[in-house]
């Protein structure tokens, strides 16, 4: 064969490759850590602007009833990747879990279906990733400044710069230079941002400094009628929970707190020039803070403002970086053939009930932001708000369905494609199941499971307590009044307990046998 016929042969294949690609949309899944809907302007306008995250929603859909199955990082990630509830994927809590990487997972099924798969950023499942053609993960929770990454050869390499930017650089490099361009791909971009302790990129140190954030109405909640809420350890005001040095950066030489050494080791990773800039910024705020000697509510409100500002700054870099990924997809002509998903591993408390952190089945942390921009040409014509109840166990079935691969019967989640097509199936789920396990542990949130319907929420806290809570979300959206056991609630209690049991049977949660 001469050169010309070789060239002709190659050219004649091109339309086939293009057709194959057109038939198989790509997936870009961006998941952040502890990012909550209150801090995303397409959900809530009170606090910040997130133009790039909102862009996804503007061009696509925004889920307003999007829930996790277990509001904690590792478990949530395991749910996402397996399409199964925690008891079925085996990773129930961060502290004692090791993800069994030999089990079938969504990226493995995608590979079988001919996709190229890549994972970059936070993994947090202890065992090394399986099912990805390419991966590069941060160590454990990772570091914002000069972070360490684990390579596919299991080497740990320190990178230079700010983590959120580095994760994006690596993702863009994979998209541009490393992937096999003859295959559809699924790229998982997992950020550490905006996880505690909210260390901003230096260029945004001054952002939000002039803003005074509105206090949530429930900031001074007294937890009456809610025993588990009384016993948590995640209060902004409590010096043993939110650390004045580590969390709010009010360091001064010689100041020793529970987490001050951890803080110093984290900021100690910075190059000396960067560190000087960082210190210069926080030192003056800190000096002023210590001079004022704040007490009581003044101190609590000072901590709240510092928390909100640092979280918002850290988020700003994240929003920029999501914009970079969208721009890259657009520039490469990939955007219209890609499902772009933006979500978080759970919601978070921004001072509601006086808290930071997550874990509870109450709204702020049960919810997680979820927006999607759909590929064109597959009939995924939904636009705007989707209000059906969805859960993070649905992502795996959705991606498989989109790839044209069968959804395994043992997955607990369901494909969201009908909703993305703009349908409103009559038999769509009317309730979601939740189960949180990490206790005793940091922040002291008791074990609990429960069911949420459109209007009600029933929770059972167990292990070293045995307490039920019931909320009417219509009458009490802030979940301040536990009406369990009150006269007049008998009927709804019975219905919800029945629904809870039905879900536990459907998902084979062994807890039901112990009840
Ligand atoms: C760390 C944080 C906690 C946080 C957990 C779990 N403490 O342990 O505040 O709840 O992670 O978060 S810290 O002192 O190390 O900052 S998760 O999102 O990864 O589940
Ligand atoms: Ca998290």
């Amino acid at each position: 064969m001469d050169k010309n016929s070789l060239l002709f042969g190659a050219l004649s294949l091109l339309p086939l490759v293009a057709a194959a690609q057109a038939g198989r949309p790509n997936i870009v899944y961006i998941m952040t850590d502890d990012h909550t809907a209150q801090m995303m302007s397409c959900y809530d306008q009170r606090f910040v602007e997130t133009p790039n995250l909102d862009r996804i929603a503007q061009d696509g859909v925004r889920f307003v009833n999007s829930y996790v199955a277990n509001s904690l990082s590792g478990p949530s990630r395991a749910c996402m990747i397996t399409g199964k509830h925690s008891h079925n994927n085996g990773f129930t809590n961060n502290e004692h879990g090791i993800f069994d990487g030999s089990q079938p997972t969504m990226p493995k099924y995608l590979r079988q279906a001919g996709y190229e798969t890549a994972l970059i950023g936070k993994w947090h499942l202890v065992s090394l990733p399986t099912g990805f053609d390419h991966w590069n993960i941060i160590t454990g929770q990772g570091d914002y400044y000069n972070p360490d990454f684990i390579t596919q050869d299991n080497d740990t390499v320190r990178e230079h710069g700010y983590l959120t930017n580095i994760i994006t650089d690596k993702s863009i490099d994979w998209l541009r230079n490393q992937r096999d361009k003859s295959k559809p791909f699924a790229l998982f971009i997992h950020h550490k941002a905006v996880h505690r302790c909210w260390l901003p990129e230096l260029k945004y140190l001054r952002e939000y400094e002039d803003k005074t954030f509105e206090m949530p109405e429930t900031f001074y909640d007294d937890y009456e009628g809610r025993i588990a809420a009384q016993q948590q350890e995640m209060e902004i005001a409590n010096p043993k929970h939110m650390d004045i040095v580590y969390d709010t950066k009010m360091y001064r030489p010689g100041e020793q707190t529970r987490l001050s050494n951890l803080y110093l080791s984290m900021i100690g990773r910075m190059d000396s020039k960067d560190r000087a800039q960082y210190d210069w910024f926080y030192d003056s705020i800190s000096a002023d803070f210590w001079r004022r000697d704040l007490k009581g509510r003044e101190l609590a409100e000072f901590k709240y403002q510092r928390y909100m500002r640092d979280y918002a700054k850290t988020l700003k870099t994240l929003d920029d970086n999501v914009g970079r990924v969208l721009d890259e997809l657009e520039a490469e002509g990939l955007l219209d053939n890609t499902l772009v998903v933006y979500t978080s591993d759970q919601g978070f408390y921004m001072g509601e009930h006086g808290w930071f952190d997550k874990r509870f089945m109450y709204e702020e942390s049960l919810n997680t932001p979820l927006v999607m921009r759909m590929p064109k040409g597959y009939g995924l014509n939904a636009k705007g708000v989707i209000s059906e109840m969805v859960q993070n166990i649905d992502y795996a079935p959705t991606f498989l369905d989109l790839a044209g691969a069968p959804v395994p019967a043992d997955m607990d989640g369901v494909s969201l494609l009908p909703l993305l097509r703009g349908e409103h199936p009559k038999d769509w789920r009317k309730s979601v199941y939740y189960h949180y396990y990490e206790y005793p542990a940091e922040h002291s949130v008791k074990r609990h499971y429960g069911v949420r319907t459109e209007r009600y929420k029933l929770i059972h806290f167990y292990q070293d307590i045995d307490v039920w809570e019931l909320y009417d979300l219509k009458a009490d959206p802030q979940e301040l009044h536990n009406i369990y056991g009150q006269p007049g609630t008998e009927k709804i209690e019975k219905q919800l307990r029945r629904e809870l049991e039905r879900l536990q049977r459907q998902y084979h949660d062994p807890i039901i046998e112990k009840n």
Side-chain angles (χ1 to χ4, degrees), residues 33-34 71-75 77 94-95 122 124 141 195-197 246-247 258-259 262 266 345-346 348 356-359 438 442-443:
D33 201 341
D34 294 358
S71 186
L72 194 64
S73 165
R77 287 154 206 275
N94 283 341
E95 299 220 335
K122 183 170 173 180
H124 209 206
Q141 295 282 15
H195 194 276
R196 195 179 179 194
C197 61
Y246 174 72
D247 290 304
R258 190 172 65 86
L259 296 173
L262 180 59
M266 281 180 177
D345 64 345
Q346 6 75 200
F348 213 68
F356 64 107
D357 214 66
K358 53 267 178 174
R359 300 163 192 266
E438 194 176 273
E442 197 178 5
H443 300 302

Side-chain angles (χ1 to χ4, degrees), residues 388-433:
E388 276 83 357
M389 296 180 135
V390 303
Q391 243 180 329
N392 57 344
I393 49 171
D394 298 333
Y395 305 163
T398 305
F399 299 165
L400 296 181
D401 202 5
L402 188 70
V407 177
D410 66 349
M411 281 192 178
D412 297 323
V414 295
S415 167
L416 302 176
L417 287 200
L419 305 180
L420 298 184
R421 284 195 288 265
E423 296 163 14
H424 300 283
K426 286 249 165 339
D427 57 351
W428 194 260
R429 69 159 75 83
K430 302 283 185 292
S431 65
V432 290
Y433 181 60

